[in-house]
Amino acid sequence: MMNNIKLLDSDKKTTLFILYVYTLIRGAGRASYMFLYSLYLISIGYSTKDLGLIMTLAAASIVLILPIVGYLVDHGWSSEMLFLSGISMALSLIVPVLYPSFPFLILSYALNLLSLYLWSPSRNKIIGLIIPPVLMGRIYGVFALLFNSSRTITPFILGRLTEVLGYGSLMLWMGFFSLVGSIIVYVCLLRYGNTLTRTPLNKLDLVSSYKAMFSFDRSVFPVLLFAVIDRFSWRLWYPLLNAYFKEYRLFDDAVIGDFNTLIGLSMLVSSYLAGSITDVIKPTKALIIYELIGVAGLLSINLSYPYIYLSALLIGFSVAFWIPAYNTLITVMYGVEKVGRLRVLADSARNVTSIPAPQIGGYLMSVNPWITFMLSAFLMLSAIIPLKKISIDTNST
């Protein structure tokens, strides 16, 4: 790789380095939010059921922004979208501490989702412009390594600081860290972003991007069906997991932090292996493995301490399989030249249909948490069925 990196000129190398640094910042910010937000809500009197409602309302408010993001990225505004991604992450941590009322808690989670949706397409656009194909796979591998490294260590540290500094103070500090880092990164990108040529914005094109959000060819229906069922089943419980541990299992923060760290560590050590296995057995089979491991991890959540850490390892393995398998499957369905369109369609379908999942999961947990987990396990196994209908289509990959 060191020989191939010489293919890049000085500005492109610098831009790549800036994105690497930003990835570390985002990994820490993202992990901080996912660890602290739900615990903070529990500490100020909200329940896991309330958290599910907050997540559902936030997702509903943000989903219509997706086509606009894709449109702006395609028209050369990637640096600005990256900047907004970082600002959104920072504000999502700061806002609920300064204004802990219900509407602002919804705004906080909406900003967290916005940060996530802004990041991937913006970064991918810049990478596509500055990195030759011969390096692209390994470059994305470095991004995954950096992000998972940052998100692995962060909850481990935070879990041991909450009793000293408190949830609110930690959220403010991590929000400030994300804010300053985002500003510095954006200034640097403006200096080295001369490859980003902006094109005029057109209202008709923007309207078309919204129409595409709800349209797809019948040939991709099995992929969309899998994506919808899979996303809904995971959103029933995964965003609520830390709150569940705090409210229903009465775990202390260090145990919850270690659980999150083990998920990240499991992803970190197994991502390359999962990608290699995907190349050998094809993406549909890899996704089946992903679902089966995910079900095993989900059902292991009921184990007592410390055996519950097995669940964290299995969940990490499951997500590690999903990343290369899902992205490969989306690519081979239409080919590289149309991968963007299909990714937008699939992600839009996943996000729209999963909006009520956290509220449903939170309500079922208030009745009996095991109902939520069993329903999710059933849906995850059901998601395997449409995969079998598309295995023939990917045999040539």
Side-chain angles (χ1 to χ4, degrees), residues 54-127:
I54 288 170
M55 292 178 173
T56 293
L57 294 175
S61 67
I62 207 72
V63 69
L64 292 179
I65 297 178
L66 287 176
I68 300 177
V69 173
Y71 178 77
L72 291 174
V73 168
D74 286 342
H75 284 73
W77 297 86
S78 297
S79 295
E80 286 70 23
M81 294 299 100
L82 281 179
F83 177 61
L84 288 178
S85 174
I87 297 301
S88 298
M89 175 60 68
L91 291 177
S92 71
L93 287 159
I94 295 172
V95 164
V97 181
L98 299 181
Y99 306 99
S101 61
F102 195 78
F104 284 100
L105 294 176
I106 297 173
L107 174 62
S108 169
Y109 200 82
L111 288 169
N112 168 63
L113 292 177
L114 179 62
S115 174
L116 184 65
Y117 295 147
L118 289 169
W119 164 253
S120 294
S122 305
R123 181 206 56 183
N124 291 359
K125 181 72 171 183
I126 296 175
I127 291 302

Side-chain angles (χ1 to χ4, degrees), residues 199-216:
T199 57
L201 304 179
N202 186 295
K203 291 183 180 180
L204 292 178
D205 290 341
L206 182 58
V207 172
S208 297
S209 69
Y210 274 95
K211 291 180 179 179
M213 183 176 177
F214 299 101
S215 63
F216 52 87

Side-chain angles (χ1 to χ4, degrees), residues 231-378:
R231 173 77 167 181
F232 188 91
S233 62
W234 279 75
R235 292 282 295 173
L236 281 171
W237 61 275
Y238 190 67
L240 308 174
L241 196 53
N242 289 343
Y244 160 75
F245 285 150
K246 191 71 173 180
E247 182 177 0
Y248 294 97
R249 300 295 296 273
L250 304 180
F251 289 159
D252 61 39
D253 296 342
V255 172
I256 299 173
D258 291 347
F259 189 94
N260 285 265
T261 292
L262 281 176
I263 291 178
L265 185 62
S266 177
M267 292 174 59
L268 185 65
V269 301
S270 59
S271 291
Y272 183 80
L273 175 62
S276 300
I277 292 175
T278 297
D279 288 339
V280 174
I281 68 173
K282 308 306 178 189
T284 49
K285 292 182 180 178
L287 285 171
I288 292 175
I289 293 176
Y290 147 73
E291 292 292 350
L292 294 176
I293 296 176
V295 169
L298 176 58
L299 298 180
S300 301
I301 286 177
N302 198 42
L303 295 175
S304 60
Y305 176 84
Y307 305 105
I308 194 172
Y309 288 143
L310 173 63
S311 174
L313 294 174
L314 291 172
I315 291 172
F317 287 147
S318 179
V319 177
F321 269 98
W322 179 87
I323 293 172
Y326 181 72
N327 285 311
T328 300
L329 181 61
I330 291 294
T331 300
V332 301
M333 286 301 298
Y334 273 163
V336 176
E337 67 279 1
K338 295 182 180 179
V339 64
R341 177 176 180 268
L342 182 54
R343 185 61 190 255
V344 169
L345 293 175
D347 286 352
S348 297
R350 293 171 71 224
N351 290 315
V352 170
T353 55
S354 68
I355 286 174
Q359 184 181 8
I360 295 173
Y363 172 77
L364 292 176
M365 279 189 183
S366 70
V367 178
N368 188 328
W370 200 235
I371 297 176
T372 300
F373 299 138
M374 292 301 294
L375 174 60
S376 178
F378 171 77

